[in-house]
Amino acid sequence: MDFVITFEEIEKSFVVKVSGDIDAYHSATFKQKVMEHMNNTDKKYIALDMSDVSYIDSAGLGSIVSLIKESKKSEKEIVLVSLKKQIKKIFEMTKLDKIIRTEDTLESI
């Protein structure tokens, strides 16, 4: 699957739809593109729609942690949405689910 990121603003959130793997090959691009758009929106919530992400490695996790730190500086909140079971398990095993909010749907934000 190709790595694709799309952006859209909805009522309460700025939505980042990620398709493909967030791994060592794509994590820098992922972080850079999200940062650019995050800094140019006035929405409080940055929703990372992960419904089409089937794999994430330590580089991808590092990018998300870095985005969380940056979002706090600008008083925004990153929310992971629609995590697949195996991806959710990675966030639980690494205890990252304790520092980042996850929701099942965009409407839950």
Side-chain angles (χ1 to χ4, degrees), residues 2-81:
D2 289 337
F3 184 73
V4 179
I5 306 174
T6 57
F7 303 92
E8 144 185 47
E9 289 198 14
I10 60 173
E11 192 174 317
K12 290 195 284 184
S13 308
F14 184 80
V15 180
V16 180
K17 171 88 169 142
V18 185
S19 299
D21 298 341
I22 305 176
D23 56 16
Y25 298 107
H26 302 110
S27 61
T29 302
F30 164 72
K31 179 182 168 187
Q32 177 193 3
K33 290 192 178 293
V34 174
M35 288 286 296
E36 287 171 10
H37 287 82
M38 184 169 64
N39 293 329
N40 292 323
T41 184
D42 59 353
K43 302 285 185 187
K44 178 180 176 6
Y45 299 105
I46 310 300
L48 299 182
D49 181 344
M50 308 276 281
S51 59
D52 290 334
V53 174
S54 55
Y55 177 79
I56 187 167
D57 68 6
S58 58
L61 293 173
S63 291
I64 290 177
V65 169
S66 181
L67 289 169
I68 292 168
K69 289 179 183 178
E70 290 300 318
S71 69
K72 290 182 188 302
K73 290 179 188 175
S74 55
E75 298 181 2
K76 295 178 181 170
E77 181 182 1
I78 296 211
V79 182
L80 300 179
V81 181

